[in-house]
Amino acid sequence: MEELPVPHNIKISNITCDSFKISWDMDSKSKERITHYFIDLNKKENKNSNKFKHKDVPTKLVAKAVPLPMTVRGHWFLSPRTEYTVAVQTASKQVDGDYMVSEWSEIIEFCTADYSKVHLTQLLEKAEVIAGRMLKFSVFYRNQHKEYFDYIREQHGSVLQPSVKDNSGSHGSPISGKLEGIFFSCNTEFNTGKPPQDSPYGRYRFEIAAEKLFNPNTNLYFGDFYCMYTAYHYVILVLAPIGSPGDEFCKQRLPQLNLQDNKFLTCTEEDGVMVYHHAQDVILEVIYTDPVDLSLGTVAEITGHQLMSLSTANAKKDPSCKTCNISVGR
């Protein structure tokens, strides 16, 4: 009996965070005998992988031979923004139930995509459930060490410069490692209405009036929702001046929020004065996408403690939390 054709020239297309299409070429001889495809998918091992990990976990998908390209979705729990290897063989089911198989194809590599707006909207809806009531606030603030502000004055002419967001939060977030911005906080203590005196990021605080960063000339976007194995939940929002590079980046990738009517951060006009509110039950991390001059606010030392345990720098999201995870990716 002739051998089954070996798949070659494998192509991966239509990649999302949890699916892809796969196709390949094969010789026409014996093609009619093919009843199934075997697809072997594995996460690409990196240098830090556990070398003692159990290797016999089944990663092979047995699929009926369908016209190519074939969509692979839901057969594995695919993670977003993750490198995978894939190989294929053709198979013919025999009368006794066993399979006759071809040789394996070459192994190719691909990377799954970030969360789409659809996935981010699912995260947004989960975050809305726990956001809580809205509290008034009047300033955005950014805590750092004294050396940081000295450096900004000496090396950047007293202008805070956007930098690339780290990898904290959801693994599939399209802003991680890509969006440039400056992190600000706006949460207040409910009993004082003022920013807390403690901070995980440093004893010096830059405060700037809310209207300098958040006004009708800015767009507001939802960026992420996550926790770090704690009771606290974080929501990342992006403030981007209309028409700026940051605005163009977000417009293509993130759900946009109504400035006056959303569950997290609002800007409304009352008697000719801009009034600002933030959600009480989540910790907001606000990314502003343009440079900010220190002269627009004030820098002063805080009286509280530096609570390093609350830092979210490169923090990994808890994948088991039912409050802030969606059903695709991790």
Side-chain angles (χ1 to χ4, degrees), residues 108-179:
I108 67 157
E109 299 176 0
F110 71 100
C111 186
T112 47
D114 296 332
Y115 284 151
S116 68
K117 278 189 184 179
V118 171
H119 300 112
L120 286 171
T121 300
Q122 291 175 22
L123 269 184
L124 161 65
E125 289 167 354
K126 278 182 158 276
E128 287 177 335
V129 173
I130 68 156
R133 67 191 181 102
M134 303 291 277
L135 299 178
K136 270 190 181 181
F137 78 100
S138 59
V139 296
F140 288 104
Y141 55 95
R142 175 175 174 80
N143 277 73
Q144 281 287 351
H145 299 285
K146 182 177 183 296
E147 293 74 19
Y148 168 85
F149 290 109
D150 290 343
Y151 176 79
I152 295 297
R153 292 186 187 98
E154 293 162 13
Q155 302 296 324
H156 292 287
S158 295
V159 177
L160 296 171
Q161 298 294 332
S163 58
V164 177
K165 184 197 169 297
D166 66 10
N167 288 315
S168 60
S170 300
H171 188 57
S173 170
I175 60 178
S176 291
K178 294 180 181 178
L179 178 66

Side-chain angles (χ1 to χ4, degrees), residues 10-15 18-24 26 34-41 60-76 78 86-90 110:
I10 296 172
K11 294 186 180 69
I12 303 289
S13 61
N14 295 78
I15 300 170
D18 64 345
S19 69
F20 61 92
K21 284 188 176 182
I22 185 168
S23 63
W24 56 84
M26 52 190 166
I34 296 172
T35 60
H36 291 77
Y37 304 135
F38 289 179
I39 301 174
D40 192 30
L41 182 81
K60 212 181 290 181
L61 166 67
V62 180
K64 284 188 176 177
V66 295
L68 300 176
M70 169 183 153
T71 299
V72 178
R73 173 187 279 117
H75 304 91
W76 288 283
L78 290 174
V86 65
V88 188
Q89 56 184 179
T90 56
F110 71 100

Side-chain angles (χ1 to χ4, degrees), residues 273-294:
V273 178
M274 302 306 286
V275 178
Y276 296 89
H277 289 84
H278 72 81
Q280 176 186 351
D281 294 342
V282 290
I283 298 174
L284 295 180
E285 298 182 305
V286 180
I287 301 176
Y288 187 75
T289 62
D290 269 15
V292 176
D293 198 311
L294 289 179

Side-chain angles (χ1 to χ4, degrees), residues 77-96:
F77 189 66
L78 290 174
S79 294
R81 203 187 274 204
T82 302
E83 291 185 328
Y84 288 92
T85 60
V86 65
V88 188
Q89 56 184 179
T90 56
S92 176
K93 193 168 187 178
Q94 308 298 295
V95 197
D96 60 6

Side-chain angles (χ1 to χ4, degrees), residues 42-59:
N42 292 282
K43 271 189 185 178
K44 189 177 173 185
E45 296 288 339
N46 59 44
K47 291 174 185 171
N48 301 321
S49 294
N50 181 359
K51 292 183 173 60
F52 301 101
K53 188 177 71 172
H54 185 47
K55 295 288 185 186
D56 298 323
V57 177
T59 57

Side-chain angles (χ1 to χ4, degrees), residues 219-258:
N219 280 329
L220 177 65
Y221 298 92
F222 173 83
D224 201 3
F225 177 44
Y226 70 102
C227 71
M228 305 179 297
Y229 303 89
T230 65
Y232 305 111
H233 274 87
Y234 297 81
V235 169
I236 298 179
L237 302 174
V238 183
L239 280 173
I242 294 173
S244 66
D247 188 37
E248 294 305 314
F249 178 95
C250 294
K251 199 172 287 181
Q252 298 169 37
R253 297 169 177 84
L254 306 180
Q256 188 169 348
L257 301 176
N258 184 312

